[in-house]
Amino acid sequence: MTRPISTLFCDVGGVLLTNGWDRQARAEAARRFSLDAAETDERHHLTFDAYEEGKLSLDEYLDRTVFYTPRAFDKGTFKDFMLSRSKPLAEMLSYVRGLKARYGIKIVIINNEGRELNQYRIKAFGLGCFVDAFVSSCFVHMRKPDADIFRVALDIAQTDPADAAYIDDRAMFVEVAATLGIRGVVHRDAAATAKALTAFGGFAAACVAGPD
């Protein structure tokens, strides 16, 4: 018999919000600020893991990727641009908030994000109003696909893997969670994710709501 879901683990970028600082945003930044896109992207890939694991501040990340040479713009202007890339995915936000309100389940975020971006997104979009815990890479100093980040989340939630489900837009991360016995959904849109969770026997499809 399928056990009901008591804890929902959820990614942020591509699920509840747009990605905070992805390839598309970096390409747009290169155009807007007249950066060498190839050089900036190479520097990003060499240092971003350390930023997401909380080992660098945003200022240090930018010093290595953008401000390693004099620029015609300041760091504050560039940070404002970075933050402006974050937008809500209203249908999923409404759906997950509805699950919390209707079923009283634990909602735990498991995401890869640098500290400053992560904290901005938590506050700007009210994630703390319905999320019980944030197992973010910058807080726990490990990143998906490391299976240990899921083990930490299970410990923090005090949840058996059989009682949990995980939503992520990246199939590999769902697959890693599955190796620990956590049921998973590869997110494409709110309706499909709600249908998949309903198939687990945990929630009613009627919880799906449109944008606020």
Side-chain angles (χ1 to χ4, degrees):
M1 179 179 177
T2 302
R3 289 163 61 164
I5 297 166
S6 66
T7 300
L8 183 65
F9 296 126
C10 190
D11 187 30
V12 175
V15 179
L16 299 177
L17 309 176
T18 57
N19 289 318
W21 187 235
D22 60 5
R23 184 180 295 108
Q24 182 177 343
R26 296 195 305 276
E28 187 176 347
R31 291 190 296 270
R32 179 168 300 194
F33 294 97
S34 300
L35 303 175
D36 182 322
E39 172 73 9
T40 302
D41 212 45
E42 180 180 7
R43 286 174 172 269
H44 164 84
H45 286 297
L46 289 172
T47 197
F48 197 61
D49 287 5
Y51 174 54
E52 283 196 329
E53 290 176 357
K55 297 175 182 177
L56 292 176
S57 68
L58 181 56
D59 281 342
E60 290 169 322
Y61 164 77
L62 290 176
D63 285 342
R64 296 183 183 189
T65 58
V66 178
F67 294 94
Y68 56 90
T69 192
R71 299 294 184 186
F73 52 90
D74 61 24
K75 202 173 288 184
T77 300
F78 197 85
K79 287 180 184 178
D80 287 344
F81 173 83
M82 292 178 73
L83 298 180
S84 73
R85 300 304 91 193
S86 293
K87 305 293 181 184
L89 299 179
E91 194 171 2
M92 268 304 287
L93 279 172
S94 179
Y95 172 60
V96 175
R97 284 197 303 263
L99 291 178
K100 179 67 173 179
R102 182 169 179 178
Y103 297 101
I105 62 171
K106 296 175 187 175
I107 307 290
V108 177
I109 294 299
I110 306 176
N111 67 324
N112 291 346
E113 193 89 83
R115 179 175 289 271
E116 293 87 347
L117 292 177
N118 196 47
Q119 291 182 320
Y120 167 78
R121 283 151 69 84
I122 289 169
K123 293 178 181 178
F125 300 99
L127 302 186
C129 294
F130 63 92
V131 172
D132 295 287
F134 292 88
V135 184
S136 302
S137 60
C138 58
F139 301 152
V140 299
H141 307 301
M142 64 184 79
R143 302 168 69 251
K144 297 178 292 187
D146 188 337
D148 278 350
I149 198 169
F150 295 99
R151 294 187 179 98
V152 167
L154 289 166
D155 286 343
I156 288 173
Q158 286 297 286
T159 297
D160 189 291
D163 298 325
Y166 176 58
I167 304 171
D168 200 304
D169 61 325
R170 297 191 177 185
M172 177 189 287
F173 298 160
V174 172
E175 291 162 7
V176 172
T179 65
L180 303 180
I182 302 170
R183 289 167 284 179
V185 177
V186 179
H187 177 73
R188 295 292 176 262
D189 58 65
T193 291
K195 183 177 180 181
L197 288 178
T198 300
F200 292 157
F203 310 122
C207 255
V208 180
D212 291 341

